[in-house]
Amino acid sequence: MFGNFVKFFYANRLFFAAYLSVSIHITIAIWSYNESQSPYGLTICGPSWIYDTEETKETELVFEMGNQLEGDKKRDQDGESDEGEEEGEGEKGKNEGFAKGKYEGGQWDKLVKDLESTSDLRKNFKNDLDSIVPSSGISDSYIKRERDYEDIIVKEVFPTLHSIREPFKVDIEEAEDSLAVHKERNRIIEEFRKGEEESPPITMRLSLEGEKPPRSPLQMPKEERSRYLDQSLKQSKEKQLNEFISRFLGYDVNKGDLSTFVRDLYYENLQRLAYTFSNDPTYFAVDYFQENLNKEDFLKQMMALLSEHLGTKTGTEILFTIENIYEIQGRALNVYFQNESLYQTYSEERKKELRVETIRRVVEKYKPILREKKIRSFSDAEAAYTNKRLQIIDSLIQNTPNGYRLQDALFEKGRILWESGILKGDDKLLYQAIDEWKKISKKGDGDFLAEKTVENIILTLQQEEIRDAFGKFPSHTRERIDMAIRYRLADVLEKKKLREEKILWPKTKKQVQN
């Protein structure tokens, strides 16, 4: 019987060999498909986790092309804030379910440790409101507002510092990767605070080259934009920005009202005022750090958009906002160095205060980065940030379409040089500023926001000498120009203060009566 089986197998050996070969190859193919990445995937520089496969044809930001007023019914009509749900509540929830082991020794190891160290921050440090000046005129709702101490420590108060020595064109080239890393960091923070692992890692989807459908111009007059911004002012800045991107960035970037809407969003809603109401400098330091922290998301998102829209009107408005962020970041470093010195004078009892501890941790976090960037004082910071701001304005001047807002760009470049010259006592920079202002013509495309200031400067230059008998810049001429620059935004800031008090920080009846 066995002999018959052997004869049968031998006679049909080719059939059995073919069957086994096909079975083995199919098994290997199925296993490879399930266990391996596509052999046709792109190999791209950068951390592998931020990339999706090349088959994905959508960009990460999905833009809605519908009417700009769609969804207004969903907005909270009474203007109630959702900031309490998203900000200022400490490390929310329990983090027992957070799988911290997978981050140990990796890119996010320090982040996880910071999250753990801030979990009980409010329990371990005093958060008293004392040393308040009764006659400060600042609303109690602002003074007693929730402050995001944990985020000030965990997230980035100085997001611009990491690449401050890099050319601005490099920042643009790396903007999309930087945004992907930023979003992954935020996902991990959310995962930690929820105490669970629900959402997948953030990826940066790669869009294939090809023609895009024509975009329609956004038609949204100033009154309509103002109403929209008033209604959304109380929302968290992240929510405002995400909604704006998803609803409006699908419109034409050169035609219509999108470019001015980007400007309005930043200057009216996302750039807010910080107030002094105490002789204790830690109050202002924390508030100023928080306002800088709140610009991080805007900076990352807009830099990524700029990499796509450089050379458009919307790209020009983005560049103006980014230059402003760098200006504010430079000022915040002055606050940083002041409070670094003050900490050495505090008693052990003062060091138990939540504000003081928050500032201490920010100082310790950025010490090695500042050392690496060779920034040891505010003077070093001013020089580095002035250089970067000039690069940003030069990029704007070189790329703005048809001279759109070129007059404001030339004024801004002159202002940067002037203020640096005043700070350093360098007349050479003052003369360079005047050379930039002389390039401004009355003709130009787009708004000219600095027109009145420029008129005052030009009038001063016509009436006053710019060199005295010793070849120096005359003090009276310098003072007239400096006053025009310093107080150019007085009316704008007063209106901004009144609007924020009305919507964000209303005064009590007792405060109004006083």
Side-chain angles (χ1 to χ4, degrees):
M1 181 177 178
F2 180 74
N4 292 335
F5 174 77
V6 170
K7 290 179 180 179
F8 174 79
F9 184 83
Y10 181 77
N12 296 278
R13 64 188 182 279
L14 295 177
F15 171 78
F16 285 114
Y19 176 80
L20 287 172
S21 176
V22 170
S23 300
I24 291 170
H25 280 81
I26 290 175
T27 302
I28 292 173
I30 292 173
W31 180 86
S32 299
Y33 181 82
N34 289 331
E35 299 297 325
S36 302
Q37 295 181 351
S38 168
Y40 304 105
L42 294 174
T43 301
I44 303 172
C45 295
S48 60
W49 54 263
I50 68 173
Y51 295 102
D52 216 342
T53 65
E54 65 175 331
E55 297 175 358
T56 306
K57 295 185 179 180
E58 296 178 327
T59 57
E60 182 182 15
L61 301 177
V62 181
F63 302 135
E64 295 181 9
M65 295 293 291
N67 187 293
Q68 68 272 16
L69 297 181
E70 290 178 2
D72 278 352
K73 292 181 181 180
K74 298 179 183 178
R75 186 182 307 285
D76 192 354
Q77 295 296 329
D78 61 4
E80 288 299 317
S81 171
D82 62 1
E83 288 188 348
E85 300 175 4
E86 301 185 21
E87 300 180 4
E89 295 183 3
E91 305 298 68
K92 307 181 184 76
K94 298 180 179 180
N95 53 52
E96 288 84 353
F98 178 75
K100 69 175 184 178
K102 65 181 180 180
Y103 299 113
E104 288 182 3
Q107 178 182 4
W108 304 112
D109 183 65
K110 177 67 166 58
L111 172 66
V112 173
K113 289 177 180 176
D114 286 343
L115 286 165
E116 290 178 323
S117 71
T118 55
S119 294
D120 296 322
L121 188 69
R122 297 176 191 244
K123 295 179 182 178
N124 297 332
F125 294 89
K126 297 183 297 182
N127 190 19
D128 299 330
L129 286 174
D130 48 20
S131 303
I132 306 299
V133 177
S135 58
S136 66
I138 305 303
S139 169
D140 283 347
S141 58
Y142 177 87
I143 295 172
K144 298 176 182 179
R145 68 172 178 156
E146 279 287 350
R147 289 166 172 85
D148 304 327
Y149 298 104
E150 294 84 2
D151 280 352
I152 290 172
I153 294 169
V154 170
K155 295 183 178 180
E156 292 284 352
V157 172
F158 298 108
T160 59
L161 188 58
H162 298 278
S163 63
I164 191 62
R165 298 296 189 185
E166 297 291 332
F168 184 63
K169 64 179 182 180
V170 174
D171 294 338
I172 297 175
E173 292 168 358
E174 298 178 350
E176 290 189 3
D177 286 2
S178 179
L179 175 62
V181 173
H182 170 74
K183 289 193 171 186
E184 173 66 0
R185 184 210 66 184
N186 287 349
R187 185 194 68 82
I188 293 171
I189 292 173
E190 182 181 3
E191 179 186 310
F192 178 89
R193 289 174 176 172
K194 285 183 176 179
E196 54 193 12
E197 189 174 355
E198 292 181 343
S199 54
I202 299 297
T203 60
M204 183 178 67
R205 298 186 177 93
L206 303 176
S207 60
L208 299 180
E209 293 294 331
E211 292 185 359
K212 296 180 180 180
R215 299 178 174 188
S216 59
L218 174 64
Q219 302 298 330
M220 199 172 189
K222 177 63 177 177
E223 297 77 14
E224 221 170 300
R225 299 199 303 271
S226 296
R227 185 163 58 251
Y228 172 92
L229 293 171
D230 284 349
Q231 290 174 347
S232 62
L233 182 61
K234 278 192 170 184
Q235 294 176 349
S236 70
K237 294 183 181 181
E238 290 82 1
K239 185 172 184 178
Q240 289 187 59
L241 181 59
N242 288 336
E243 180 177 319
F244 180 86
I245 289 173
S246 65
R247 292 182 60 187
F248 299 110
L249 260 295
Y251 287 96
D252 194 292
V253 291
N254 276 312
K255 299 176 183 178
D257 298 316
L258 178 61
S259 57
T260 51
F261 200 5
V262 169
R263 182 204 311 168
D264 293 345
L265 173 72
Y266 175 76
Y267 287 101
E268 295 184 21
N269 275 32
L270 304 184
Q271 183 207 64
R272 296 181 188 170
L273 300 176
Y275 302 94
T276 55
F277 51 84
S278 171
N279 293 325
D280 181 349
T282 61
Y283 285 105
F284 181 78
V286 166
D287 285 351
Y288 207 54
F289 285 170
Q290 178 157 324
E291 289 310 312
N292 276 267
L293 166 72
N294 288 338
K295 292 175 177 62
E296 180 195 13
D297 198 50
F298 181 88
L299 176 68
K300 298 293 185 180
Q301 298 269 19
M302 288 298 131
M303 282 295 295
L305 288 168
L306 179 65
S307 67
E308 181 181 356
H309 299 304
L310 185 65
T312 67
K313 289 183 177 180
T314 299
T316 294
E317 294 294 350
I318 290 173
L319 281 166
F320 274 116
T321 63
I322 290 172
E323 187 275 323
N324 182 259
I325 289 174
Y326 272 84
E327 178 180 5
I328 294 171
Q329 289 267 282
R331 293 178 186 170
L333 279 170
N334 190 28
V335 176
Y336 171 98
F337 285 114
Q338 289 173 353
N339 281 270
E340 180 185 27
S341 299
L342 286 171
Y343 184 81
Q344 309 303 323
T345 68
Y346 292 152
S347 65
E348 291 303 314
E349 190 63 27
R350 278 227 67 185
K351 291 177 182 179
K352 296 177 183 178
E353 295 176 7
L354 181 56
R355 295 186 307 278
V356 174
E357 175 63 12
T358 300
I359 293 168
R360 184 193 70 81
R361 294 199 190 191
V362 170
V363 167
E364 292 302 315
K365 177 179 180 177
Y366 287 102
K367 264 185 179 179
I369 302 172
L370 288 164
R371 193 181 306 118
E372 176 196 344
K373 304 302 178 183
K374 294 181 172 56
I375 297 176
R376 301 176 181 84
S377 64
F378 174 62
S379 177
D380 293 338
E382 190 277 334
Y385 276 81
T386 293
N387 178 57
K388 198 62 169 276
R389 289 169 62 199
L390 288 172
Q391 290 182 46
I392 295 169
I393 293 298
D394 283 340
S395 178
L396 190 160
I397 292 171
Q398 293 164 10
N399 291 285
T400 192
N402 302 317
Y404 176 75
R405 291 200 65 195
L406 181 59
Q407 298 149 306
D408 277 323
L410 291 170
F411 166 74
E412 192 67 15
K413 184 173 181 179
R415 181 178 74 87
I416 296 169
L417 292 166
W418 178 271
E419 291 179 345
S420 183
I422 291 293
L423 188 65
K424 296 176 180 177
D426 187 345
D427 285 357
K428 182 180 178 181
L429 292 173
L430 303 185
Y431 290 122
Q432 288 179 13
I434 291 175
D435 288 341
E436 294 299 325
W437 292 330
K438 286 181 177 179
K439 296 176 185 177
I440 299 173
S441 71
K442 293 184 178 180
K443 296 181 181 180
D445 184 24
D447 297 329
F448 184 13
L449 302 183
E451 184 174 10
K452 289 184 178 180
T453 305
V454 171
E455 288 176 354
N456 289 335
I457 292 172
I458 297 301
L459 180 62
T460 300
L461 295 176
Q462 291 172 348
Q463 295 175 345
E464 305 284 358
E465 297 292 333
I466 60 173
R467 292 185 189 274
D468 61 17
F470 302 98
K472 300 292 186 180
F473 206 104
S475 59
H476 56 280
T477 307
R478 182 173 61 246
E479 288 169 3
R480 281 188 62 178
I481 295 176
D482 206 42
M483 289 287 286
I485 292 174
R486 186 174 299 181
Y487 293 101
R488 73 192 187 283
L489 299 177
D491 292 340
V492 173
L493 293 178
E494 181 61 25
K495 291 178 182 177
K496 187 179 186 69
K497 179 176 180 292
L498 293 174
R499 176 173 176 261
E500 289 187 0
E501 284 182 351
K502 179 181 178 181
I503 301 175
L504 287 176
W505 322 119
K507 292 184 176 181
T508 62
K509 291 182 179 179
K510 183 178 180 180
Q511 283 185 301
V512 173
Q513 291 172 355
N514 292 338

